[in-house]
Amino acid sequence: MNMNTLLIHGGIDGDKHTGAVSVPIYQTSTYKQSSLGKSSGYEYSRTGNPTRHALEKLIADLEGAKYGFAFASGMAAITAVLSLFKSGDKIIISSNIYGGTFRVLDKVFNNFGIKYEIVETRDLSLLDSKVGPSVKAIFIETPANPLMNVTDIEAVSKIAKKHNIYLIVDNTFMTPYLQRPILLGADIVVHSATKYLGGHSDLIAGLAVVNDDGLGERLQFIQNSTGGILQPFDSWLLIRGIKTLGVRMARHIENAQFIAEYLENHPGVDKVYYPGLKGSEGYDINSKQASGGGGMISFILNKKYDLKDFYSSLKIITLGESLGGVESLICHPATMTHASIPYDIRQKVGIVDNLVRLSVGLEDKHDIKGDLENAFNNSLRR
Ligand SMILES: *Cc1c(COP(=O)(O)O)cnc(C)c1O
């Protein structure tokens, strides 16, 4: 099946008992056992639930892998994946990464002796040289949050394989519709399904995907042991969102491309970060490994414009955390999504104070542009 068909018929399609075309919500904690030691295959919903199972099969199919696992949030999925490691292990992370991923390593896993090191993963020889004996995994995001840094997944997977360590890819920004890291050599893919996969800003969910049988068994064990599972209703909601991922992503890209080109030529913008812009730094590698630039744009607002006035002048674009919904959302990484990263690290990696991050939604692109134009006009200092 091709991707557009998989989105609708992948995983477990409908209900074999009734013919319902929508997977039923199995809102149950437990399952009747017909006799001692004889179950339907489901025994307790932390361990397994048919609605969640349908979603887990679906994300595995979409990523071209064998095993999917659904969690209560992206951070719960990342926490489960990081629970594969033990005291003394070190994980290399990209210099741009979701603030929460940095925070859980820095403030939680650090207490259990799991170390991290920030490395510019776009620099392949530097990355290769940083893999010492204690390094057990490389964790990347591409395009990375919030500067859209593009890392070459296939090249990094070769480095990981050479050192016999795992490559973990956070594929939240691209989704499997645009990029399938497992097929490029990644071992583990994680998602905040809260974003594009859910797509409607009405759900918090996370997914992890692996292809290796041993890894699949270990992650399933961790999922069941630590218990951060996605509930049946939310699993159903996410399946529902994923069905329209293809049409949504196509429009996200069309709108984002239009807005990125508008921003690139605006005097109020010093720099635009969007991997779909020809000639931009990550364009070539992104085009090689993904079939589009996605819907996320960051830009540096010129100092002649007042940052506060700019945000407060927007009427259609909503100021808020998160991304990937049908509505355009804007945020201020330095004080919002990336506030948990210390000031000096933020400066070093380029998350400056006048950086703006925009999740381009599915509204009419001319209305989004008009809203930005109005905000530029209202925030120009006189
Ligand atoms: C939002 C996000 C997360 C965390 O996911 P939650 O669902 O909010 O827990 C992880 N990675 C990226 C890239 C994100 O944008």
Side-chain angles (χ1 to χ4, degrees), residues 160-206:
K161 285 195 170 58
K162 179 179 133 191
H163 294 280
N164 205 17
I165 61 173
Y166 294 128
L167 171 60
I168 306 165
V169 179
D170 183 331
N171 202 27
T172 299
F173 274 31
M174 287 280 103
T175 80
Y177 188 74
L178 299 179
Q179 173 172 285
R180 305 216 276 172
I182 297 271
L183 305 185
L184 298 167
D187 300 286
I188 303 170
V189 168
V190 292
H191 282 283
S192 171
T194 310
K195 316 294 169 53
Y196 289 104
L197 292 174
H200 296 75
S201 307
D202 53 11
L203 166 75
I204 300 279

Side-chain angles (χ1 to χ4, degrees), residues 72-78 97-98 100-101 139 141 143 145 170-173 190-195 203-206 322-323 357:
S73 67
M75 285 321 303
I78 289 168
I97 205 154
Y98 178 70
T101 305
F139 190 126
E141 240 178 83
N145 206 344
D170 183 331
N171 202 27
T172 299
F173 274 31
V190 292
H191 282 283
S192 171
T194 310
K195 316 294 169 53
L203 166 75
I204 300 279
S322 202
L323 59 108
R357 194 190 77 179

Side-chain angles (χ1 to χ4, degrees), residues 133-150:
S134 63
V135 173
K136 294 290 149 54
I138 302 168
F139 190 126
I140 63 171
E141 240 178 83
T142 178
N145 206 344
L147 294 174
M148 312 303 151
N149 292 346
V150 175

Side-chain angles (χ1 to χ4, degrees), residues 341-356:
I341 299 175
Y343 178 80
D344 46 326
I345 297 184
R346 282 207 311 267
Q347 298 305 306
K348 215 173 104 194
V349 301
I351 307 173
V352 294
D353 286 345
N354 50 341
L355 183 76
V356 177

